[in-house]
Amino acid sequence: MPDYFRGRAWKQFPIEDQAEFFKWIGEVADAGKAIRDTFDTVIPYMRQQLGDDCPVAIIGFCWGGWVVALTLADSSNPFACGVGLHPSRQSAEDIAKIRAPIALFPAENDPEMAEFLDGIPDKELAARCLHKRFIGVQHGFCTKRSDREKPDTLAKVQEANRDTAEFILERTRRN
C-alpha cells in the first residue's frame, strides 16, 4: 500500500478546523501526484511481482476513492476494476470517464452517488459497476476511526469487506 501522504496523513478526527484541513489537502493530498505515483511506481512493482497478465484491482478509502475513479479514467489504466469505500470528492463527471468497473460504497452520511453510475456513457461498463449505501454507519467506517466494538458497525465493516472481495473476484476471475 503506497503512502501517498508521505508520512503526513491527517490525523485529527473529527475535523475541527476546516480551513487547516483544506490547506492540508492542497499541500499533501495531491490526487495528481498520487496517480503519477501509481503509474510510475506501484504498477511497475506489481508487474514485477505478479507478471504482466495478472489482473489487479485498486481500492481507496475516502479521498482514495476519488483517486480510484481518476485512475480508472486514465487511458493507460491497467486495473480490471476499482472500489471506493466511503469515497469522497467523487463527481458524476469523474465517474463518467472511467474505463473499468467501479464499486462505490458510501456510508449513510456520505453524498448520494447512485446516479453517478447512470452517467457512464458505456452502458455495458455501467452494468458491471456497483453502488451500495451502508446505512447505520458513518463516513470512515472501514478505517481505524470506526468503532468496531459495536456489533452493528463491525457487521457493516465485514459486509463491506465481503462486497469488496466479491466485486473484485467477479471482475478479475479468469475463465
Side-chain angles (χ1 to χ4, degrees):
M1 286 180 49
D3 178 7
Y4 291 127
F5 304 138
R6 294 167 171 74
R8 296 177 53 203
W10 184 266
K11 294 181 169 89
Q12 179 194 22
F13 294 100
I15 298 167
E16 295 174 8
D17 186 340
Q18 293 285 324
E20 192 63 29
F21 177 69
F22 284 105
K23 179 180 174 195
W24 172 83
I25 285 177
E27 294 173 357
V28 179
D30 182 329
K33 188 181 286 185
I35 293 166
R36 283 190 305 279
D37 287 349
T38 299
F39 283 97
D40 295 346
T41 305
V42 176
I43 293 169
Y45 177 80
M46 286 185 333
R47 293 298 178 217
Q48 177 188 15
Q49 299 299 311
L50 304 171
D52 289 336
D53 64 339
C54 183
V56 292
I58 184 171
I59 300 171
F61 302 86
C62 185
W63 171 90
W66 183 47
V67 172
V68 166
L70 297 176
T71 301
L72 292 180
D74 191 285
S75 62
S76 59
N77 160 49
F79 295 102
C81 63
V83 178
L85 293 135
H86 42 82
S88 67
R89 301 189 68 133
Q90 300 288 330
S91 72
E93 294 78 24
D94 294 334
I95 301 301
K97 296 174 187 172
I98 64 168
R99 297 166 178 260
I102 192 168
L104 301 172
F105 295 152
E108 182 172 353
N109 65 331
D110 286 326
E112 182 53 51
M113 297 177 189
E115 69 272 5
F116 291 0
L117 301 182
D118 295 335
I120 298 172
D122 180 339
K123 296 308 173 194
E124 187 175 311
L125 171 59
R128 297 186 67 223
C129 295
L130 176 65
H131 172 274
K132 181 176 180 180
R133 179 171 293 283
F134 282 81
I135 303 299
V137 288
Q138 302 300 301
H139 182 80
F141 76 99
C142 284
T143 64
K144 71 178 188 173
R145 293 186 309 172
S146 178
D147 184 357
R148 295 174 189 206
E149 297 299 317
K150 294 181 179 177
D152 291 346
T153 302
L154 179 59
K156 293 292 183 178
V157 171
Q158 292 170 334
E159 180 181 351
N161 289 341
R162 278 191 307 274
D163 291 347
T164 297
E166 288 173 8
F167 180 82
I168 290 171
L169 288 172
E170 288 172 4
R171 285 150 187 85
T172 59
R173 188 172 291 128
R174 295 180 187 177
N175 294 332

